[in-house]
Amino acid sequence: MQRDLFDEEHLLFQQTVREFMNREVIPHHEQWEKDGLVPREIWKKAGEVGMFGFSVPEEYGGAGVTDFRYNAVIVEEITRNALSGLGFSLHNDVMAPYMVELTDDEQKRRWLPGFASGELITAIAMTEPGAGSDLQGIRTTAVLEGDHYLINGQKTFITNGINADLVVVVAKTDPAAGARGTTLIMVERGMEGFTRGRNLDKIGMKAQDTAELFFENVRVPVTNRLGAEDGQGFFQLMNNLPQERLSIAVAAVAAAEAVLEQTIEYCKTRQAFGRNIGSFQNTRFVLAELATETEIARHYVDKCIRSLNARELTVVDAAKAKWWTTELQNKVVDRCLQLHGGYGYMMEYPVAKAWVDSRVQTIYGGTTEIMKEIIGRSFGF
C-alpha cells in the first residue's frame, strides 16, 4: 500500500536530513561506536540545518511548528542507517514538550535558543537503580530550603547522560504523598554536587552515551522547577509519555523495514545447495510473514502520528503501538539474522548490529509488560 503520511515539505526535509547523515554522520559512526560517544560538534551541525526544536517558537530560534511528522523523518533516517549513537529523538521527541509547554517565559529565554541550535543538549533522569517502570518508587529527593531545592539521589541508564547540559530530574518533594509528591526540576551542567558516573557498557547502541548521574546536596534554584507548583511531576510525565512511546514505535517500524529490505536482497544472492536461498519455500514464507506484519505496523503507527498531531493520541493507543512494534522489531531482526546463517552473527553484516541494538526497545520507555498492563486496565477490570 502506498504510504501517504508525508507532504511535499516533509519529503524535502527528509532529503535534507538524508544528505546530512550521509555527509556528517555515516562516515564517522563506526569510530563513535568505538569511542562510546558522539562528539558534541555534531549536535551543533544538526542544529544549523534545522533538525531541532520544531515546536520551539520562532522568537527563540525554533520553527514554531507542531507537527510530529518532522520528528518522524529524523527518527526514520537515523534508524534506517543504524546510527544508534545519535540521541536526537530523546532531545526532540521526549524533551521538547517539557521545554516548550512547561517552561515559563524566563526559562524559555534561558534555554530554548540553545535547545533549538543544538548547543544545549538535554536529558531526562527518571530511572534509578531500584526504580525503572515503577516511577512511584523513585527515591531521589528534592527538599525545599528557602528559594532552593536540595537534591540527593542517583539515576541510571540516562540517554545523553554524558553530553547533557540540562537534565530534567524526577524527584520526590513529598515522599509521603505518593504520585502527588513528585516534582520535575532542571539541573544544569556545572552545578556543585552534580556528577556523572560511568558511560555504561551496553550490549548494543555503543555510540550512545548512556550514563549514571549522581546528586549530592545539589542546590538548585526554585526558578528551575518545571510547572507552577510542587507535586505535579508524575502527571506531567504521564501527559508526555505517549509521544515518547510513539517515537520508539516509529523507530521500531523503520528498523524492521530496513533489516527486512537488506535480508531480501541477501536472500537473492546467497547460494545454498546450488541455488539462491530465496528460492526455498521456507525462506519465502518467513519473509512473507515479516513483510505483512511490518506493513500493518507501519500503517498503525502512521495513524498514531496523525492522532498525535490532532492531540487525540491516547495513553492506550501509544501503549499498543509501543509494545507491538518493538516486539515485532525483535522478531523481524531475529528471523532475518537466522536467514543470514553464520554470517548473521558477524558484526560486519548490518543485521548483527541491528540485533544487538534492537533488544532494548521492549525495555525502555516502559516495558512490554507495563504496556500490556496499561491496555488491560483500560477494559475496566
Side-chain angles (χ1 to χ4, degrees):
M1 293 184 181
Q2 183 69 34
R3 188 183 187 193
D4 60 358
L5 178 68
F6 297 134
D7 296 331
E8 183 178 358
E9 58 265 30
H10 303 104
L11 297 176
L12 289 172
F13 180 65
Q14 181 185 66
Q15 188 59 39
T16 297
V17 174
R18 191 165 292 174
E19 291 172 356
F20 176 84
M21 297 300 169
N22 287 334
R23 181 179 69 251
E24 302 288 353
V25 182
I26 293 175
H28 311 293
H29 197 270
E30 185 176 352
Q31 182 60 49
W32 299 343
E33 294 258 326
K34 296 174 182 176
D35 297 339
L37 190 69
V38 171
R40 293 178 59 89
E41 290 71 26
I42 202 66
W43 287 77
K44 295 179 183 178
K45 291 181 179 180
E48 290 171 0
V49 297
M51 289 176 61
F52 300 131
F54 306 105
S55 60
V56 171
E58 291 184 23
E59 62 186 293
Y60 300 114
V65 176
T66 303
D67 184 349
F68 194 77
R69 289 177 291 180
Y70 291 103
N71 302 56
V73 165
I74 295 176
V75 172
E76 291 177 7
E77 291 304 309
I78 287 174
T79 305
R80 286 175 180 151
N81 290 290
L83 306 174
S84 54
L86 298 178
F88 292 178
S89 62
L90 187 283
H91 190 77
N92 273 331
D93 307 344
V94 180
M95 285 297 301
Y98 297 98
M99 299 292 295
V100 175
E101 298 172 15
L102 297 179
T103 49
D104 59 31
D105 289 343
E106 187 274 334
Q107 291 170 337
K108 285 180 169 61
R109 288 192 293 271
R110 253 199 297 165
W111 297 325
L112 289 187
F115 180 86
S117 69
E119 295 175 281
L120 188 151
I121 300 171
T122 58
I124 185 165
M126 286 190 274
T127 303
E128 298 182 2
S133 296
D134 179 16
L135 293 178
Q136 296 191 56
I138 285 171
R139 295 186 178 182
T140 297
T141 59
V143 178
L144 186 60
E145 293 186 351
D147 57 0
H148 284 75
Y149 288 101
L150 197 64
I151 299 181
N152 284 280
Q154 177 182 352
K155 301 291 183 177
T156 193
F157 310 143
I158 307 306
T159 301
N160 295 344
I162 299 296
N163 275 332
D165 304 293
L166 187 65
V167 180
V168 177
V169 176
V170 183
K172 288 286 189 181
T173 45
D174 185 356
R180 295 185 179 278
T182 304
T183 301
L184 306 184
I185 302 169
M186 293 291 208
V187 175
E188 300 176 72
R189 177 185 291 275
M191 285 184 167
E192 187 176 353
F194 171 36
T195 58
R196 300 160 208 259
R198 296 176 296 156
N199 189 353
L200 298 168
D201 186 13
K202 308 178 295 295
I203 64 172
M205 306 185 84
K206 291 288 189 178
Q208 187 184 98
D209 55 317
T210 307
E212 300 171 312
L213 304 180
F214 299 94
F215 307 89
E216 184 175 358
N217 294 324
V218 183
R219 289 181 60 81
V220 183
V222 172
T223 52
N224 276 30
R225 181 182 63 211
L226 287 180
E229 57 183 295
D230 286 340
Q232 298 301 306
F234 183 80
F235 306 102
Q236 293 164 342
L237 292 169
M238 293 303 102
N239 286 337
N240 288 326
L241 280 173
Q243 179 164 308
E244 175 182 352
R245 288 165 179 164
L246 177 57
S247 174
I248 295 170
V250 170
V253 176
E257 290 172 335
V259 172
L260 186 59
E261 181 180 338
Q262 294 160 6
T263 303
I264 290 171
E265 290 304 311
Y266 178 83
C267 291
K268 289 177 180 178
T269 58
R270 174 65 176 167
Q271 295 279 317
F273 303 102
R275 53 183 173 148
N276 296 338
I277 62 173
S279 66
F280 295 114
Q281 186 183 66
N282 177 71
T283 302
R284 296 198 303 271
F285 278 15
V286 169
L287 293 175
E289 177 183 330
L290 300 181
T292 301
E293 293 184 357
T294 299
E295 185 165 353
I296 291 171
R298 158 59 59 211
H299 291 290
Y300 181 79
V301 168
D302 283 358
K303 171 62 176 175
C304 286
I305 293 173
R306 291 191 175 94
S307 294
L308 181 69
N309 278 351
R311 294 188 174 269
E312 296 172 352
L313 183 69
T314 68
V315 171
V316 172
D317 291 338
K320 290 176 180 178
K322 199 276 178 182
W323 90 258
W324 175 259
T325 59
T326 56
E327 292 287 347
L328 176 63
Q329 177 186 356
N330 276 287
K331 173 184 174 180
V332 170
V333 173
D334 191 71
R335 294 197 179 180
C336 285
L337 188 149
Q338 186 74 16
L339 289 174
H340 279 74
Y343 289 106
Y345 205 64
M346 302 296 109
M347 286 303 294
E348 63 191 89
Y349 278 77
V351 71
K353 182 177 185 302
W355 192 66
V356 292
D357 282 351
S358 67
R359 187 59 188 88
V360 73
Q361 287 275 83
T362 60
I363 298 173
Y364 60 18
T367 64
T368 291
E369 292 75 18
I370 294 296
M371 297 302 97
K372 290 181 179 180
E373 179 67 13
I374 290 170
I375 298 162
R377 287 178 181 176
S378 72
F379 303 140
F381 295 139

